[in-house]
């Protein structure tokens, strides 16, 4: 028996060992292999490049991903949102990589982080990777939501070392600048607890955004904000040379720009301490960021006039990208409020179409209009978190069709045959 069955037991033992490995780690191995191979998005002049081809972006904002990934009951929303985006052919999601001193704060106090919340951000990045979505991660808010520059100033003031109680001291106080540099370094060098990849080495991250909608109204010359942007952009690039970097601007022209009189919505827009051309011209800034909120900028205009202005606003910035900046231009937020008098959902569709058509026309000509990110998308059951721009895309078929059509139009510039996964399936159906 021993001689006749000699090989049987070693083979059985090996089979059981393999079975044990699969039962213990099979899901991990399976998930690892099904992750898409992705490279870093790069820049070549006025275009984003991916795998040697121009990369035009149809994407969205969901600022809330990290916050809702903290608690177990709300975590499934992250997968649902990213999967929905992927099925619509969307490629980039902009979201917050900050929460300073607020509920579920990532940064509890200067340099002190909640590991539980950091793991939530790890989860968002890992899920995005699984679904082939890239992330534009914003590092701080000019506004008070989720802490913002106000929280940094408060921390310095409470420690008795702040130079001023003004929110704008965020930009000029050396102590606060160091707070923010410590934050940047911690985030960029974070090793993801799920993937094991440092954030600065993860191509899932499309780009970093320094600050959401910076304004420094205490210095309308723009020098204070410009100095801060130069210092912080250089600091980011000293740590992370893999990723693209943008400012997070609204797109207003400064007082010394001729376009401040011809293109800004009104005179107030040139007195905010920011300057689209000057701020974006910084050598460490890879692409321009612009926002589009006509109903916040004009309260008396009819829809037709607002849409004409949107076209003018976008074409002006695309022209800047083509001729002066020689960098891609991303419209990183665009939205139309449902609080407008006599608002109809069809008005929002027309607004979206205006924005998306402008991007497509620029892309067809290899222009600098590199993409747009709608503000903002939610999944079902999140009504309590909605603002007046909130969209559940499959809740309105016409909106869903607009967004998916744009995905396929931009894909068509590259050729659908070169695409894979959801986007290839989506666009093939539309052929």
């Amino acid at each position: 028996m021993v001689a006749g069955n000699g090989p049987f037991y070693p083979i059985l033992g090996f089979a059981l060992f393999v079975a044990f490995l699969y039962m213990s780690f099979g899901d991990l191995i399976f998930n690892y292999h099904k992750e898409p191979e992705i490279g870093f998005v790069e820049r070549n002049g006025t275009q984003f490049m991916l795998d040697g081809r121009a990369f035009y972006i149809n994407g969205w904002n969901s600022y809330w991903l990290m916050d809702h990934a903290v608690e177990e009951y709300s975590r499934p929303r992250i997968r649902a949102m990213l999967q929905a985006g992927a099925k619509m052919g969307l490629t980039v999601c902009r979201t917050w990589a900050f929460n300073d001193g607020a509920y579920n704060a990532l940064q509890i106090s200067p340099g002190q982080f909640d590991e539980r919340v950091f793991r939530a951000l790890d989860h968002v990045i890992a899920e995005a990777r699984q679904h082939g979505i890239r992330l534009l991660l914003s590092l701080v808010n000019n506004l008070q939501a989720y802490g913002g520059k106000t929280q940094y100033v408060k921390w310095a003031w409470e420690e008795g070392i702040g130079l001023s109680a003004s929110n704008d001291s965020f930009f000029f106080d050396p102590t606060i600048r160091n707070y923010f540099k410590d934050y940047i370094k911690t985030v960029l060098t974070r090793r993801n607890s799920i993937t094991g990849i440092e954030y600065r080495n993860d191509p899932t991250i499309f780009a970093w955004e320094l600050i959401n909608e910076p304004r420094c109204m205490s210095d309308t010359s723009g020098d204070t904000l410009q100095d801060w942007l130069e210092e912080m952009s250089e600091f980011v690039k000293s740590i992370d040379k893999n990723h693209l970097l943008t400012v997070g601007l609204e797109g207003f022209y400064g007082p010394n720009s001729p376009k401040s009189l011809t293109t800004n919505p009104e005179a107030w827009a040139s007195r905010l301490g920011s300057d689209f051309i000057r701020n974006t011209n910084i050598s460490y800034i890879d692409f321009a960021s612009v926002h589009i909120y006509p109903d916040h900028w004009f309260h008396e205009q009819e829809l037709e006039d607002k849409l004409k202005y949107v076209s003018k606003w976008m074409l002006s910035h695309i022209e800047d990208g083509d001729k002066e900046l020689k960098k891609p231009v991303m419209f990183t937020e665009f939205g139309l409020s449902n609080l407008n008098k006599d608002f109809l959902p069809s008005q929002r569709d027309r607004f979206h179409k205006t924005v998306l058509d402008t991007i497509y026309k620029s892309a067809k000509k290899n222009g600098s209009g590199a993409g747009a990110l709608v503000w903002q998308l939610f999944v079902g059951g999140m009504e309590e978190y909605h603002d007046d721009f909130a969209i559940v895309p499959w809740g309105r078929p016409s909106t869903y069709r607009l967004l998916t059509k744009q995905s396929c139009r931009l894909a068509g510039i590259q050729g659908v045959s070169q695409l894979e996964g959801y986007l290839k399936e989506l666009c093939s159906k539309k052929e």
Side-chain angles (χ1 to χ4, degrees):
M1 278 184 63
V2 174
N5 295 283
F8 176 73
Y9 291 107
I11 292 171
L12 178 62
F14 178 73
L16 290 171
F17 175 68
V18 170
F20 168 76
L21 283 178
Y22 180 80
M23 291 174 67
S24 301
F25 305 106
D27 188 55
L28 177 63
I29 295 168
F30 178 73
N31 283 334
Y32 175 79
H33 283 297
K34 76 176 181 180
E35 282 185 0
E37 289 291 325
I38 56 174
F40 289 97
V41 178
E42 300 171 321
R43 176 174 75 90
N44 181 14
T46 61
Q47 292 182 314
F48 295 131
M49 303 296 292
L50 179 62
D51 301 329
R53 299 194 301 270
F55 179 58
Y56 295 102
I57 294 167
N58 188 32
W60 83 100
N61 285 268
S62 287
Y63 76 85
W64 47 269
L65 295 181
M66 180 180 73
D67 187 38
H68 285 252
V70 176
E71 306 293 347
E72 191 172 345
Y73 78 90
S74 56
R75 198 170 300 139
R77 293 169 180 163
I78 286 68
R79 176 172 293 181
M81 186 72 260
L82 293 168
Q83 187 175 58
K87 287 183 176 181
M88 294 168 65
L90 307 181
T91 52
V92 172
C93 175
R94 177 171 173 261
T95 193
W96 296 167
F98 62 82
N99 188 352
D100 302 301
Y103 176 73
N104 277 341
L106 174 58
Q107 187 174 209
I108 304 165
S109 60
Q112 300 298 312
F113 295 83
D114 187 333
E115 176 62 19
R116 183 179 60 111
V117 183
F118 239 143
R119 286 177 178 267
L121 185 54
D122 293 345
H123 176 80
V124 170
I125 295 170
E127 281 289 332
R129 184 180 182 87
Q130 286 284 334
H131 291 94
I133 298 292
R134 287 175 172 79
L135 300 172
L136 173 54
L137 296 178
S138 187
L139 293 168
V140 72
N141 205 351
N142 188 77
L143 309 172
Q144 290 190 24
Y146 291 84
K149 67 181 185 183
T150 301
Q151 183 61 65
Y152 279 87
V153 173
K154 183 179 179 182
W155 281 331
W157 196 250
E158 288 173 346
E159 290 183 28
I161 53 177
L163 293 181
S164 167
S166 164
N167 283 347
D168 285 350
S169 66
F170 174 83
F171 297 115
F172 62 76
D173 188 322
T175 297
I176 298 174
R177 285 193 183 203
N178 286 331
Y179 285 167
F180 189 56
K181 282 184 173 181
D182 288 344
Y183 183 79
I184 289 172
K185 185 175 181 180
T186 301
V187 172
L188 270 58
T189 59
R190 164 76 175 182
R191 185 176 296 278
N192 192 306
S193 61
I194 299 169
T195 67
I197 305 171
E198 285 191 0
Y199 287 7
R200 61 181 170 180
N201 295 326
D202 193 340
T204 309
I205 297 168
F206 159 67
W208 301 107
E209 179 182 275
L210 281 175
I211 179 170
N212 175 50
E213 299 188 340
R215 297 182 179 186
C216 185
M217 296 172 67
S218 61
D219 180 7
T220 56
S221 75
D223 292 345
T224 299
L225 179 59
Q226 182 73 7
D227 182 65
W228 184 89
L229 292 172
E230 289 174 355
E231 181 177 340
M232 295 306 162
S233 60
E234 182 178 11
F235 184 72
V236 168
K237 289 292 189 174
S238 72
I239 298 171
D240 180 357
K241 294 179 173 60
N242 289 321
H243 288 105
L244 302 174
L245 179 64
T246 193
V247 175
L249 294 166
E250 295 162 277
F252 301 125
Y253 296 97
N256 296 323
S257 171
K259 287 189 174 183
S260 67
L261 298 176
T262 61
T263 311
N264 274 354
E266 292 177 353
W268 55 263
S270 66
R271 300 193 292 264
L272 304 175
S274 62
D275 185 333
F276 174 72
I277 298 293
R278 186 185 181 195
N279 298 157
T280 308
N281 243 338
I282 296 170
S283 61
Y284 300 104
I285 298 301
D286 295 296
F287 65 95
S289 47
V290 185
H291 292 180
I292 314 173
Y293 288 107
D295 47 357
H296 278 196
W297 302 340
F298 304 103
H299 298 292
E300 304 301 326
Q301 284 191 3
E302 297 297 321
L303 179 67
E304 295 300 330
D305 292 326
K306 289 178 181 177
L307 295 181
K308 288 178 183 176
Y309 177 78
V310 167
S311 294
K312 177 182 176 181
W313 176 253
M314 293 184 71
L315 291 173
S316 173
H317 289 83
I318 291 171
E319 178 185 59
D320 296 333
D322 287 334
K323 297 180 179 179
E324 186 164 358
L325 298 170
K326 302 191 186 313
K327 298 179 180 182
V329 179
M330 273 275 286
F331 297 88
T332 51
E333 291 187 23
F334 66 95
L336 192 74
S337 172
N338 62 13
L339 298 181
N340 294 327
K341 184 181 178 182
D342 301 322
F343 171 80
L344 295 171
S346 59
Q347 297 172 341
R348 182 178 279 171
D349 286 343
R350 290 187 63 197
F351 167 67
H352 288 170
K353 187 176 187 302
T354 299
V355 172
L356 299 177
D357 284 352
T358 304
I359 292 296
Y360 177 60
K361 289 174 184 176
S362 176
K364 277 181 67 177
K365 297 185 292 185
N366 298 318
S368 67
L373 310 177
V374 64
W375 183 277
Q376 62 170 322
L377 300 190
F378 290 88
V379 294
M382 297 185 66
E383 288 75 14
E384 62 184 297
Y385 302 99
H386 285 192
D387 61 7
D388 47 314
F389 302 94
I391 301 168
V392 179
W394 47 91
R396 180 168 170 76
S398 59
T399 301
Y400 186 89
R401 285 194 298 270
L402 274 173
L403 293 173
T404 55
K405 178 183 177 182
Q406 179 75 348
S407 297
C408 293
R409 289 198 299 180
L410 296 180
I413 295 173
Q414 298 180 142
V416 174
S417 62
Q418 297 173 327
L419 302 171
E420 297 178 352
Y422 290 126
L423 191 54
K424 184 174 182 179
E425 180 182 352
L426 177 71
C427 300
S428 296
K429 287 179 181 179
K430 292 180 176 293
E431 287 298 314

